[in-house]
Every structure is written in C-alpha cells, then in structure tokens.
C-alpha cells in the first residue's frame, strides 16, 4: 500500500481568540465604518495603517477593500489613462491584468523566468513602451530588485509592486513593496494575514498617498488618518480626485492587527514547511526546484517545482496520480483555467501576445499551497509522495 496524505491544502488556521475578541468589541460598538469612531478613538483601521506603515518602514499606508482594489487605486493615483500600455508579468494572477484592464489601459506582458520572476532582459527591451510597471512577485519569488530598479530608473518607469505573495518578505534587507513607488498587498484568506477580503497600500510619496486616500472614499475625513500625509498635501488634490469607494471596515482591521503582530512568527513557520519540502525533494531525478538567491528573504507559503521534459498528457497524469494520494497540485500549463487563472492566454480581454519563454516554463510548472495547519512531518510526507510519483 502506498502512503496517502490526509491533510487539506486550503484549510487555514483559525482566527486567534484575541482577534475574535477585538472583532466582537467592534460588533458590540456598532461602529463598523472606519470613520464612524467615538471621540478621541482612532479606530481599528487607522491603527492598522499605522502599524503596517511601521512594519514595512513606509511613511504612508492605506487599508482597502481588496488586493485588487489596491492595485487599481495605485494605477489611478499614477494617472494611468485609457489605452495606455502598462507593463506587467505574463505569469501572475487574474486581479493584476484585471486592474489594468478595468481602467481601460492595456496590459503589455513581460516574460517570466524559470525562477518565476520577471525576465529582466525582456523588461529592459519593453521598458521604452510604457510609463508604469506593475510588478507581480508571483508565488512569492522576488527578482533581483536592485537590477530591476536600475532598469526602471534608466527608463523613468514607475513601479507598482504587487506583494500579494510577499507580505513579510524582503530583498537585501529592503521589505517587499518598498522598492517601487507604491506597494500593494492582499489580506484575502489565502495570503499571509487573513480578513476574508482586504488590501493594504504603502508609499513614501505624499502626493500619491493623498490621492489614494481620496480615491478610496475618505469623504474629506483624511485628517483622522494616522499614516497619511499632512492635510496641506490634500488641499490641491481634493477637488480633482474622484471617489472610487474601496475602504476597509473596522471589523476586518480588528482581526488583522493581532495577525500582523504575529506575522514574523508565521514567516518562520512557513519557511520551516518550505525547508522540509525542499529537503524532501532535493536531488530527485527529473524534478527541478526554484533557486532562491541569497538576497531573497522569502515567505514559503507555497511551493513550486518543474518536471522538465514532460508533455501535457504526462503532466495531467502526474497531477492525477498525486491527487489520488491526497497531494493537490496545480498545473499552470493547462489549456483551460480551473480553480485559478494565471495564464496570459486565458485573459482574452487582453490583446494576444507571444510569450514563448513563459509558456515553456508554465508547461511543466506545478504548485502547491503550504497552509500553516500543516506540520513539518506533513510537508515531509507530501515531498515523499511527490518524489515517489516522479520516480514511477
Ligand atoms: C490574491 C492576489 C492579488 C489580490 O487579490 P484579491 O483577491 O483582490 O485580494 C493580486 N495579485 C496576486 C498575484 C494575487 O495572488
């Protein structure tokens, strides 16, 4: 009898008792809207923003309704216009090209490497076409951020970082989200802190931060923010910035604050699971692991590997065999999007673009989640099953 894994790849940890108590206090107060605060009470959302700004070392922070909203808000703040080309990764999740398309702008895809990061040569080649790069740190992989920012500076490219998978990560000591002009994060259930839905935005640029606060629907109550630019900065912007409501509410902020305090400890636990997977799969013939550069401090909340040389039928067969043994894998090479959409050619509202390098990578790329409900023993068992099936 071959062993079978019994864990659930989408089971998150429960919300902690202190977070539940904070949520109940908000519910009892009835003051769920971020600006519905009692006298002298800053409110959970303003406090979360202040704490997240401190966590990332950013001057300004805004909490929003979702990660996708955060991306759209960043693009709007940068004045991205209809039909404007915006560079982005060919391999990312649907909310990224979606945010660009929602403004009527045009996603221009940049190739991805075998390490799942943006291809810097392709970026340098395409940089003259655009003013803005929406850089997605897909599946938590950071490219050489110093090299990327050098290209960006040389071409006057403004960089928005999509840090949905890199909250808590850093490159050469600089937190993910702090290289570009704006950093966007998601607090959706499958990310690193969980409020069901939600987003966070950081920036050091006072004008962009003020614009984003106005865009989010601040009803001129921006002086109540604790991680916002001075009220004067808003003076010249407040009449010209449309309200595109997308605020976070106090209930979500209340459950996020205790989770943010816990994030460094979570990162350690995720990286232990990741380490157990890596150790279990190291040297397996026919299986390629991602390289993790020394400068990259990652959060191993998901795990990727490739099976170079296998064709589509063999990939499907491998996914099915692992699935039968309880190991749920996602194959990014499938023709039809199922359960997620991460392929440039499944976003048909975008003009079709040739991405041979990315397609070759995705053709043999597999992915699995590592929820914190798994133990290192679980991760070792998952690796054993994968290793066993690769050898068959
Ligand atoms: C989750 C995610 C987002 C944001 O998604 P929301 O569901 O809107 O919070 C953005 N980019 C990537 C790569 C993601 O995985």
């Amino acid at each position: 009898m071959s062993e079978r894994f019994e864990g659930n790849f989408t089971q998150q940890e429960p919300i902690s008792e202190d977070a539940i108590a904070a949520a109940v206090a908000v519910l009892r107060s009835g003051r769920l809207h971020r600006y519905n605060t009692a006298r002298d009470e800053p409110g959970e959302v303003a406090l979360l923003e202040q704490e997240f700004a401190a966590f990332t070392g950013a001057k300004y922070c805004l909490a929003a309704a979702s990660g996708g909203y955060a991306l759209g808000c960043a693009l709007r703040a940068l004045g991205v216009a209809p039909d404007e080309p915006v560079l982005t990764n060919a391999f990312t999740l649907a909310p990224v090209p979606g945010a660009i398309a929602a403004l009527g702008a045009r996603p221009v895809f940049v190739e991805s490497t075998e390490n799942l990061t943006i291809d810097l040569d392709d970026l340098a080649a395409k940089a003259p076409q655009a003013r803005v790069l929406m850089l997605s740190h897909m599946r938590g992989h950071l490219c050489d951020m110093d090299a990327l920012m050098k290209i960006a500076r040389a071409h006057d490219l403004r960089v928005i970082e999509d840090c949905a998978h890199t909250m808590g990560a850093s490159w050469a000591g600089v937190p993910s989200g702090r290289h570009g002009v704006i950093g966007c994060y998601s607090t959706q259930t499958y990310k690193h802190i969980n409020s069901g839905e939600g987003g966070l935005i950081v920036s050091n640029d006072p004008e962009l931060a003020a614009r984003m606060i106005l865009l989010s629907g601040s009803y001129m109550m921006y002086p109540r923010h604790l991680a916002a630019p001075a009220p004067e900065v808003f003076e010249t912007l407040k009449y010209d910035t449309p309200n595109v409501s997308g605020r976070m509410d106090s209930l979500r902020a209340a459950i996020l604050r205790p989770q943010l305090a816990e994030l460094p400890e979570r990162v350690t636990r995720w990286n232990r699971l990741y380490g157990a997977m890596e150790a279990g799969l190291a040297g397996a013939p026919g299986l390629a692991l991602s390289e993790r550069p020394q400068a990259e401090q990652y959060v191993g909340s998901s795990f990727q590997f490739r099976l170079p040389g296998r064709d589509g039928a063999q990939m499907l067969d491998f996914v099915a065999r692992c699935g039968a043994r309880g190991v749920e894998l996602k194959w990014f090479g499938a023709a039809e999007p199922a359960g997620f959409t991460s392929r440039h050619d499944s976003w048909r509202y975008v003009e079709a673009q040739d991405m041979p390098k990315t397609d070759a990578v995705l053709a043999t790329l597999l992915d699995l989640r590592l929820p914190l409900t798994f133990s290192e023993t679980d991760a070792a068992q998952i690796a054993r099953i994968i290793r066993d099936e690769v050898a068959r």
Side-chain angles (χ1 to χ4, degrees), residues 65-71 91-97 136-140 162-165 184-191 196-199 342:
S66 73
Y69 180 87
L71 297 171
F91 175 50
T92 180
L93 193 73
V96 178
S136 186
H137 304 300
M138 184 59 173
R139 284 347 230 157
D162 165 27
C163 306
H165 304 164
C184 298
Y185 308 77
S186 171
T187 64
Q188 190 238 75
T189 293
Y190 299 105
K191 313 300 161 90
E197 304 285 356
S342 289

Side-chain angles (χ1 to χ4, degrees), residues 4 24 37-38 54 67 69 77 99 111 114 123 128 131 150 161 208 216 219 244-246 255 297 316 357 383:
R4 190 177 193 288
V24 169
T37 52
Y69 180 87
E111 294 269 32
E114 288 182 346
L123 175 64
R131 203 168 58 82
K150 208 166 145 190
E161 289 182 72
L208 291 174
S216 77
Y219 303 128
V244 187
S245 283
I255 64 171
Q297 241 92 53
L316 278 175
K357 191 167 174 176

Side-chain angles (χ1 to χ4, degrees), residues 67-89:
Y69 180 87
L71 297 171
C73 188
L75 291 166
R76 282 195 173 87
L78 285 169
V80 168
D83 272 333
E84 180 175 338
V86 175
L87 296 169
T88 194
N89 306 51

Side-chain angles (χ1 to χ4, degrees), residues 162-174:
D162 165 27
C163 306
H165 304 164
T166 55
M167 183 189 283
S170 57
W171 178 266
V174 178

Side-chain angles (χ1 to χ4, degrees), residues 271-281 303 375-377 379-380 383:
N271 288 351
R272 286 201 190 114
L273 298 180
Y274 191 95
M277 287 292 304
E278 237 179 2
L281 292 174
F303 192 90
S375 65
E376 285 171 67
T377 312

Side-chain angles (χ1 to χ4, degrees), residues 3 72 156 179 206 212 244 299 305:
E3 63 179 330
D156 252 332
H179 290 87
M212 291 191 286
V244 187
V299 182
F305 60 95

